[in-house]
Amino acid sequence: LTQVAGATSAGAVLQLVRSGVTTRSDLARRTGMARSTVSQRVDALIRLGLVVETGDGPSTGGRPPTHLAFNPDGGVVVAADFGITHCRLAVANRLGELLAVHAGELDIGVGPAAAVDWAMEQVAELMERIDRPLSSIDAVGVGLPGPVEFAAGRVVNPPIMPGWDGVGVPPLFAAHLPDAAVLVDNDVNMMALGEYWHRWRSTVDDMLFVKIGTGIGCGIIARGSILHGAQGAAGDLGHVQIPDALDALCTCGNRGCVEAVAGGGAVSAALRAHGRDVHDARDVVALAIAGDAEALNALRTSGRLLGEVLAGAVNFFNPSVIVLGGDLADGHEQLIAGVREFVYRRSTALATRNLQIVHNRLGADAGVVGCAASALGAVLSAEAVDSRLARAEGTRGATA
Ligand SMILES: [Zn+2]
């Protein structure tokens, strides 16, 4: 057992319990703290409902050791993943497991107040379905289809969200849930976090998640957390320029963006020019699955173009994993094959030595799982637990 330097607060002790340290004596060994101090920390965590005693340890003849366990059922978190035309909502327990999910149609153009009101109506129904009061919601994670200034939870200059520019989202949810923390990020970052939480967090520190839908976006996981960048604009991969594509005009107003030649919008337009009846990325994939040579070729080319940009990202960032998601990447191998072809050829040998390039696992749930994970960070992190404890102790002191 290695000692954990500085692991003295109750919040830090909770992280050890979550990682599988289950007795007070092991906690004392790991932290170097006195048994009495460990017991104080554990008691505080039990009072907060974050830890429970299970008492089922192996008996050694004398009094059996009381085992400690993280309590996954104390409170819940809400996940709200907004798209352009739809919204997916979920309630998750403290392990991030989805207890109830609702997917509905919602035009993001109704504006922030109406969108949040609609979402909260659905949340109330979900909570009723799992028989829990709204007061048991500890935090809300929100994904939005536009740029978000993460620290303030504010939408900044979104191209396709009329009425949202400059709007801070946390107060809108706080009007319904005054005691819940509200975390807001863009939808691709939330999907990245969802895939990371679900499959990679125990084995990988650095990951790229690339969503290839109508457009192309990228979420960056660095040392286990989303990398937002100075203005929250990190990972804007879709508007990296490809020298060979300079005649293509992008929706951003520039020419030669990889999105303008490899995104689902561009690929379906190219296929329409060849007489195919396709309207979006899903139609393209369906046509490829049906064996249409032009569609197969278009997916492969899209993958290669994306691979050209990702090869540079791999040299620059050296991720362990690249996860591909989004409508154009799902359901067929051609696109990922094109990506692999270019990345392994163009990136340095060292950067690609252990690099995996894989499909996503969560599909439509990636966003809500990421929103739940983001919300759980605000409930279960050492800092969050310590400040909650300080408030609770302050209240106890005031009323004593
Ligand atoms: Zn662009």
Side-chain angles (χ1 to χ4, degrees):
L1 290 169
T2 46
Q3 284 203 359
V4 182
T8 49
S9 74
V13 168
L14 177 66
Q15 309 314 315
L16 289 171
V17 175
R18 288 174 78 196
S19 74
V21 184
T22 63
T23 65
R24 287 176 174 82
S25 47
D26 281 347
L27 285 169
R29 272 200 290 277
R30 282 291 289 273
T31 60
M33 291 193 293
R35 269 293 295 263
S36 58
T37 317
V38 167
S39 285
Q40 278 175 19
R41 303 287 188 268
V42 168
D43 289 347
L45 293 171
I46 290 172
R47 279 201 303 278
L48 283 183
L50 292 168
V51 165
V52 288
E53 291 183 303
T54 58
D56 58 354
S59 175
T60 50
R63 183 168 153 264
T66 306
H67 277 232
L68 304 167
F70 173 60
N71 177 14
D73 297 318
V76 297
V77 294
V78 161
D81 182 24
F82 290 90
I84 307 294
T85 58
H86 61 277
C87 180
R88 201 173 185 86
L89 296 150
V91 179
N93 67 11
R94 285 177 175 163
L95 295 174
E97 295 165 344
L98 303 182
L99 305 175
V101 180
H102 172 81
E105 294 198 350
L106 175 79
D107 179 1
I108 197 79
V110 298
V116 170
D117 284 349
W118 178 89
M120 282 307 303
E121 279 172 33
Q122 317 307 315
V123 167
E125 275 181 34
L126 289 176
M127 294 298 284
E128 209 165 291
R129 203 195 296 173
I130 62 169
D131 199 20
R132 300 291 294 269
L134 284 177
S135 60
S136 65
I137 298 172
D138 288 327
V140 183
V142 184
L144 291 169
V148 172
E149 194 185 323
F150 179 73
R154 186 163 45 224
V155 181
V156 183
N157 209 5
I160 42 175
M161 297 169 66
W164 289 77
D165 190 17
V167 171
V169 176
L172 298 173
F173 278 95
H176 298 267
L177 301 166
D179 296 325
V182 183
L183 289 298
V184 188
D185 210 333
N186 83 61
D187 55 352
V188 180
N189 281 349
M190 287 302 195
M191 292 172 79
L193 192 59
E195 283 292 328
Y196 182 71
W197 172 273
H198 176 71
R199 185 175 172 193
W200 302 103
R201 69 183 150 133
S202 57
T203 53
V204 160
D205 287 333
D206 304 300
M207 179 189 115
L208 295 178
F209 175 87
V210 185
K211 181 191 178 193
I212 312 109
T214 303
I216 295 174
C218 176
I220 304 168
I221 303 281
R223 293 186 178 180
S225 303
I226 287 285
L227 182 80
H228 290 100
Q231 313 297 332
D236 205 350
L237 199 74
H239 302 287
V240 173
Q241 203 176 58
I242 295 187
D244 297 345
L246 285 178
D247 48 348
L249 183 64
C250 183
T251 51
C252 73
N254 289 329
R255 289 189 172 273
C257 299
V258 63
E259 178 174 307
V261 284
V267 172
S268 52
L271 284 173
R272 278 198 299 279
H274 279 91
R276 303 299 194 277
D277 180 26
V278 291
H279 302 280
D280 56 20
R282 285 182 195 205
D283 293 344
V284 173
V285 172
L287 202 57
I289 290 170
D292 183 281
E294 203 75 51
L296 289 166
N297 193 32
L299 282 182
R300 187 79 176 206
T301 303
S302 168
R304 285 175 181 150
L305 291 164
L306 185 61
E308 210 171 317
V309 170
L310 277 173
V314 166
N315 287 345
F316 193 78
F317 178 62
N318 189 198
S320 300
V321 185
I322 297 175
V323 180
L324 300 183
D327 286 343
L328 200 65
D330 287 345
H332 208 285
E333 286 294 319
Q334 282 294 330
L335 189 141
I336 201 169
V339 170
R340 286 180 178 136
E341 188 186 319
F342 253 74
V343 169
Y344 289 121
R345 192 197 300 164
R346 291 282 181 85
S347 302
T348 62
L350 184 59
T352 53
R353 184 183 292 166
N354 296 309
L355 174 68
Q356 299 182 67
I357 302 175
V358 300
H359 276 125
N360 73 94
R361 286 262 178 93
L362 288 172
D365 275 338
V368 283
V369 171
C371 290
S374 179
L376 284 171
V379 178
L380 301 177
S381 72
E383 304 76 48
V385 169
D386 290 336
S387 66
R388 196 162 141 205
L389 203 56
R391 284 199 305 275
E393 302 294 316
T395 311
R396 283 207 316 165
T399 52

Coordinates of all heavy atoms in Angstrom, one line a residue, residues 236-241 248-260, ligand 1:
D236 N -11.5 22.6 -32.0 CA -12.3 23.0 -33.2 C -11.7 22.5 -34.5 O -11.2 23.2 -35.3 CB -12.5 24.5 -33.2 CG -13.7 25.0 -34.0 OD1 -14.3 24.1 -34.6 OD2 -14.1 26.1 -34.0
L237 N -11.7 21.2 -34.5 CA -11.0 20.5 -35.6 C -11.6 20.7 -37.0 O -10.9 20.7 -38.0 CB -11.0 19.0 -35.3 CG -10.0 18.1 -35.9 CD1 -8.6 18.3 -35.3 CD2 -10.4 16.6 -35.8
G238 N -12.9 20.9 -37.0 CA -13.6 21.0 -38.3 C -13.1 22.1 -39.2 O -13.3 22.1 -40.4
H239 N -12.6 23.1 -38.6 CA -12.2 24.3 -39.3 C -10.7 24.4 -39.5 O -10.1 25.5 -39.8 CB -12.8 25.6 -38.7 CG -14.3 25.5 -38.7 ND1 -15.1 25.6 -39.8 CD2 -15.1 25.2 -37.6 CE1 -16.3 25.4 -39.4 NE2 -16.4 25.1 -38.1
V240 N -10.0 23.3 -39.4 CA -8.6 23.2 -39.8 C -8.5 23.1 -41.3 O -9.3 22.4 -41.9 CB -7.9 22.0 -39.1 CG1 -6.5 21.9 -39.6 CG2 -7.9 22.2 -37.6
Q241 N -7.6 23.9 -41.9 CA -7.6 23.9 -43.3 C -6.8 22.8 -44.0 O -5.8 22.3 -43.4 CB -6.9 25.2 -43.7 CG -7.3 25.7 -45.1 CD -6.7 27.1 -45.4 OE1 -5.5 27.2 -45.4 NE2 -7.5 28.0 -45.7
A248 N -13.2 24.7 -51.7 CA -14.5 24.4 -50.9 C -14.8 25.5 -49.9 O -13.9 25.9 -49.1 CB -14.4 23.1 -50.2
L249 N -16.0 26.1 -50.0 CA -16.4 27.2 -49.1 C -17.1 26.5 -47.9 O -18.0 25.7 -48.0 CB -17.3 28.1 -49.8 CG -17.8 29.3 -49.0 CD1 -16.6 30.3 -48.7 CD2 -18.9 30.1 -49.8
C250 N -16.6 27.0 -46.7 CA -17.2 26.4 -45.4 C -18.3 27.3 -44.9 O -18.3 28.5 -45.2 CB -16.0 26.3 -44.4 SG -16.5 25.5 -42.8
T251 N -19.1 26.7 -44.0 CA -20.2 27.5 -43.4 C -19.6 28.6 -42.5 O -20.3 29.6 -42.2 CB -21.1 26.6 -42.5 OG1 -20.2 25.9 -41.6 CG2 -21.9 25.7 -43.3
C252 N -18.3 28.5 -42.1 CA -17.7 29.5 -41.2 C -17.3 30.7 -42.0 O -16.8 31.7 -41.5 CB -16.5 28.9 -40.4 SG -15.1 28.6 -41.4
G253 N -17.3 30.6 -43.4 CA -16.9 31.7 -44.2 C -15.5 31.6 -44.8 O -15.2 32.3 -45.8
N254 N -14.7 30.7 -44.3 CA -13.4 30.4 -44.8 C -13.4 29.3 -45.9 O -14.5 28.7 -46.1 CB -12.4 29.9 -43.7 CG -12.1 31.1 -42.7 OD1 -12.0 32.2 -43.1 ND2 -11.9 30.7 -41.5
R255 N -12.3 29.2 -46.5 CA -12.2 28.1 -47.6 C -11.3 27.0 -47.1 O -10.3 27.3 -46.4 CB -11.7 28.7 -48.9 CG -12.7 29.6 -49.5 CD -12.3 30.1 -50.9 NE -13.4 30.8 -51.6 CZ -14.3 30.2 -52.2 NH1 -14.3 28.8 -52.4 NH2 -15.3 30.8 -52.8
G256 N -11.6 25.8 -47.5 CA -10.7 24.7 -47.3 C -10.8 24.0 -46.0 O -9.9 23.2 -45.7
C257 N -11.8 24.3 -45.2 CA -11.9 23.6 -43.9 C -12.2 22.2 -44.1 O -12.9 21.8 -45.1 CB -13.1 24.2 -43.1 SG -12.9 26.0 -42.6
V258 N -11.7 21.3 -43.3 CA -11.9 19.9 -43.4 C -13.4 19.5 -43.4 O -13.9 18.6 -44.1 CB -11.1 19.0 -42.4 CG1 -11.5 19.3 -41.0 CG2 -11.2 17.5 -42.7
E259 N -14.2 20.3 -42.6 CA -15.6 20.1 -42.5 C -16.3 20.3 -43.8 O -17.3 19.7 -44.2 CB -16.2 21.0 -41.4 CG -17.7 21.0 -41.3 CD -18.2 21.8 -40.1 OE1 -17.6 21.7 -38.9 OE2 -19.0 22.7 -40.3
A260 N -15.8 21.3 -44.6 CA -16.4 21.6 -45.9 C -16.2 20.6 -46.9 O -16.8 20.6 -48.0 CB -15.8 23.0 -46.3
Ligands
ZN1 ZN -14.8 26.4 -41.6

